[in-house]
Amino acid sequence: MKHTSGSRLPLAAVWLLSRAVLLLYTFRIVFVPGPDVTTDVSVIYHNWYQVLSAGTYPLDDVTWQYPPAAAFAILSPGLLPFLEYAHAFFVLALICDAAVFGLLMYAGGRPGKCRAGAWVWVIGLPLLGPTAYARYDVMVTAVAVAALLAGVSNPRTMGTLAGVGALLKVWPVLLLVGTARGRVTRRAWPAAAASGAAVLLACVVAAPGALAFLTFQRDRGTEVESLGSLVFHVARFFGAWEGEVRLNYGSVEFLGPYVPLVSRAAMVLTLLAFAWLLLWRLRAREFGTTTLGDAAFTAVLLFTTTSRVISPQYMLWLVGLASVCLVWRASRMRPAAILVLVATGVTLLEFPIWFSHVVASDGLGLTLLLVRNGLLVAASLMACRQLWLQTVTEPRLREAAGAAGRVPAQATAAQRDGALLNS
């Protein structure tokens, strides 16, 4: 991490080599142990593509749980008609990956910045294995990275991209949490609302069922990789829970006694996390050049960690936002970013390599989840602490020190004036 400001050549070489290996896995030339993650593209995404191409959203498919602009990502392989659907999707994922890499390289070469962010992206994405290219999250992450990098100098562009990203997969709306109060917020937030409303209206007009996704998560359980799932993994390990594990609403979930209670607890945790973010925004005294990226990273970390679903591809969001944070030399998110990188590597082990152990709640599966989710919790707490220190505590202490420094000076002047009068 210390040599990130040097030549671009090592970075480019590592990117090319790692992506070549990643393509070998996604094109099924080399195999990763465990479930074949590429079938989501070749089967599920392709089926959605056929439905969307017919002029409607998947109205009868409860696994369609995405905002309406996700249709653009699913339809995008049609831009490469000379390739079969899955291969075209992987190529487009590679192009989005390359775009993020290029943006981070360009930004890292400017004054006050470095290429640590580019290194995080180059290393972090392949740590997730073939899942990185077998989900459309890399496309959403590319939009989010572009938004944050544009945000410091062009709030309207950032807001527009955040609004579009939110209609792709909701979470990019959290990019707005760190916009400086005043002019920046007045430009970014309305731009996000306008672009989001325009995209939503276009989707609703273009095809029926654009809002069907809102009703497809009503009866979800607790996903087996989430933080809350550890309650059931531990109970199953000791033979103290009688529920079941099965594919439900597009993911492997726990279903049975106490699952609704744990799911509600996860939602309460998420609400508490958002309450903390609101409190932070109200209390923040300084919004520096790093605040926008640092706050977005912290917000998405909290959202991901407390969610009742932590799918492996969610780690892409965190890697992308951590990359943006570390573009700035002054960012204090380096420790949290390192924890995210380690958690991403552990995620590859728990899915797909040893996913059968996770589903079985045996010793290995339980250990992997404890480590991965523990790293996410630690990263969340670190990020929250550093964000609060840099924007709330330290500015308040500087203000107090400045006020204390002015009092003696004023007292001295008063004493001098008194002496002159007495003389």
Side-chain angles (χ1 to χ4, degrees), residues 213-235:
F213 76 101
L214 293 173
T215 63
F216 286 164
Q217 297 198 42
R218 186 180 304 152
D219 300 319
R220 293 203 64 163
T222 293
E223 194 257 347
V224 296
E225 297 165 85
S226 65
L227 183 64
S229 74
L230 289 170
V231 173
F232 302 112
H233 283 295
V234 172

Side-chain angles (χ1 to χ4, degrees), residues 103 106-107 113 142-162 175 179 184 188 292 324 328:
L103 288 170
Y106 175 76
K113 300 175 184 177
V143 174
V145 169
L148 287 176
L149 291 177
V152 174
S153 59
N154 198 326
R156 283 197 181 97
T157 300
M158 182 241 176
T160 300
L161 290 172
L175 305 182
T179 56
V184 175
L292 183 64
V324 174
W328 277 269

Side-chain angles (χ1 to χ4, degrees), residues 324-403:
V324 174
C325 291
L326 267 60
V327 163
W328 277 269
R329 295 181 186 276
S331 176
R332 300 185 185 179
M333 293 296 157
R334 187 178 300 258
I338 292 172
L339 290 183
V340 164
L341 287 179
V342 177
T344 304
V346 177
T347 299
L348 173 62
L349 296 179
E350 63 92 357
F351 183 88
I353 294 179
W354 286 320
F355 190 60
S356 61
H357 294 275
V358 172
V359 172
S361 301
D362 64 16
L364 177 57
L366 181 58
T367 300
L368 289 171
L369 283 184
L370 283 170
V371 171
R372 198 281 300 276
N373 291 345
L375 288 167
L376 289 179
V377 170
S380 299
L381 295 175
M382 278 187 185
C384 288
R385 181 176 183 274
Q386 290 303 325
L387 184 64
W388 190 277
L389 282 174
Q390 193 166 17
T391 60
V392 180
T393 305
E394 292 173 5
R396 187 172 61 221
L397 291 175
R398 285 194 293 269
E399 290 171 8

